[in-house]
């Protein structure tokens, strides 16, 4: 089984929609998938149509107010989800003096890992305590990136953070792939950006490029993944190709 943190401290690069659609694509291939909404904005949770205002969420799990099993939800889209909401925003302050605070998510999630083939975590656009917790739990990081200057600049900082966590907290963690998202091949900026990323990170950039798509942007508003919304759209094809590449990594590594 694989535990993948989808990360980039730069917001607006499409981590949430990628987490949603990769999870759906893997579920369609008969994999057992858990999505973890580790972002206090709760966008992944709302994207699948969950109202958790009166339910347990990741916040209560992290605060030891309920077992993880009570917070898990089954999505109609084929995967399970550990939801989140704005209450999680307070976790940074509340856990500030907690010993071993970086390991809390791992401690809570580990008992249910055997139920899944994939755990995908939507990380906040920051390098705060929730992102660190996700990276301590994860075995690998999938960086979601727009081929533009500012998101690429943030990639080096994230790479440095991954290396620190490898040394100090999680020696299994590694960067397993970089996804070029929101790609528009008509734009010279995007074509050049993709070339630069591939030059700086040889062998790590997925062949899949998720093309800029209105359908991908619209589908969460209807509480659907791209397959449920418009299965013949280019975005569905792109994410299906990406899911195939992710699975192929296992064959390459002899898993």
């Amino acid at each position: 089984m694989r535990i993948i943190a989808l990360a980039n401290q730069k917001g607006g690069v499409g981590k949430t929609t990628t987490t949603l659609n990769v999870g759906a694509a893997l579920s369609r291939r008969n994999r057992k998938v858990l999505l973890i909404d580790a972002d206090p904005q709760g966008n992944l949770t709302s994207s699948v149509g969950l109202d958790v205002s009166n339910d347990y969420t990741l916040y209560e799990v992290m605060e030891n107010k309920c077992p993880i099993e009570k917070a898990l939800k089954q999505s109609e889209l084929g995967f399970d989800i550990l939801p989140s909401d704005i209450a999680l925003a307070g976790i940074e302050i509340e856990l500030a003096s907690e010993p071993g605070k970086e390991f809390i998510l791992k401690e809570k999630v580990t008992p249910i890992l055997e139920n899944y083939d994939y755990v995908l975590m939507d990380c906040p656009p920051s390098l705060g305590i929730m992102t660190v917790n996700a990276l301590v739990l994860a075995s690998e990081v999938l960086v979601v990136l727009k081929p533009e200057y500012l998101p690429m600049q943030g990639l080096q900082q994230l790479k440095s953070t991954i290396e620190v966590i490898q040394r100090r907290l999680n020696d299994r963690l590694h960067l397993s792939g970089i996804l070029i998202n929101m790609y528009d091949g008509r734009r010279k900026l995007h074509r050049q950006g993709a070339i630069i990323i591939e030059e700086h990170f040889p062998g790590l950039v997925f062949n899949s490029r998720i093309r800029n798509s209105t359908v991908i942007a619209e589908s969460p508003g209807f509480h659907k993944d791209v397959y449920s919304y418009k299965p013949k759209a280019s975005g569905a094809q792109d994410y299906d190709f990406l899911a195939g590449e992710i699975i192929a990594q296992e064959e390459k590594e002899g898993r």
Side-chain angles (χ1 to χ4, degrees):
M1 67 88 57
R2 296 171 66 179
I3 311 172
I4 305 174
L6 286 85
N8 191 327
Q9 73 269 26
K10 178 71 175 67
V13 297
K15 292 189 304 296
T16 299
T17 52
T18 296
T19 306
L20 171 63
N21 287 304
V22 170
L26 292 170
S27 296
R28 284 163 54 87
R29 291 172 181 246
N30 297 318
R31 268 55 177 193
K32 296 177 181 177
V33 179
L34 169 65
L35 305 187
I36 296 179
D37 190 350
D39 188 344
Q41 296 178 83
N43 288 335
L44 181 61
T45 300
S46 58
S47 292
V48 300
L50 287 179
D51 178 2
V52 293
S53 53
N54 295 311
D55 289 335
Y56 293 120
T57 66
L58 176 57
Y59 171 76
E60 282 79 21
V61 174
M62 294 284 289
E63 285 285 312
N64 207 32
K65 294 179 179 178
C66 80
I68 190 169
E69 290 83 359
K70 286 192 174 182
L72 288 176
K73 306 293 182 185
Q74 287 186 322
S75 167
E76 295 178 356
L77 302 178
F79 45 74
D80 290 351
I81 181 169
L82 180 55
S84 181
D85 65 5
I86 194 61
L88 192 63
I91 209 77
E92 195 93 25
I93 296 172
E94 293 173 31
L95 297 182
S97 60
E98 185 78 17
K101 58 182 178 291
E102 302 88 355
F103 294 89
I104 294 175
L105 184 62
K106 181 177 181 179
E107 173 191 323
K108 302 300 183 182
V109 175
T110 296
I112 63 167
L113 289 178
E114 62 183 14
N115 299 328
Y116 300 99
D117 301 310
Y118 290 89
V119 175
L120 306 177
M121 294 181 283
D122 183 23
C123 296
S126 70
L127 295 176
I129 189 62
M130 283 311 305
T131 298
V132 171
N133 264 263
L135 295 179
V136 170
L137 169 61
S139 53
E140 54 194 280
V141 180
L142 192 163
V143 177
V144 183
L145 193 64
K146 286 177 68 175
E148 297 176 0
Y149 176 71
L150 289 177
M152 288 191 290
Q153 189 180 45
L155 178 55
Q156 290 293 345
Q157 185 180 356
L158 176 59
K159 189 170 181 288
S160 298
T161 300
I162 292 170
E163 291 169 354
V164 169
I165 290 177
Q166 279 176 326
R167 292 196 305 269
R168 299 180 180 178
L169 300 170
N170 179 7
D171 59 8
R172 299 180 307 132
L173 186 67
H174 65 283
L175 178 57
S176 64
I178 297 170
L179 174 67
I180 296 175
N181 195 31
M182 300 180 178
Y183 180 75
D184 186 347
R186 298 169 298 181
R187 298 183 63 187
K188 184 178 179 181
L189 172 66
H190 282 200
R191 295 196 304 272
Q192 291 179 336
I195 291 170
I196 292 170
I197 295 166
E198 289 172 340
E199 287 176 348
H200 279 77
F201 298 93
L204 284 173
V205 183
F206 287 104
N207 293 323
S208 306
R209 292 181 184 177
I210 310 301
R211 288 167 283 183
N212 204 20
S213 166
T214 302
V215 170
I216 292 174
E218 286 177 346
S219 53
F222 292 90
H223 308 314
K224 293 182 177 181
D225 57 67
V226 68
Y227 303 100
S228 304
Y229 184 53
K230 290 189 179 177
K232 294 184 179 180
S234 62
Q237 298 170 13
D238 293 347
Y239 277 116
D240 198 53
F241 188 30
L242 174 60
E245 281 197 87
I246 290 171
I247 292 170
Q249 288 178 325
E250 299 157 27
E251 298 167 359
K252 184 178 179 180
E253 295 173 10
R255 297 188 188 184

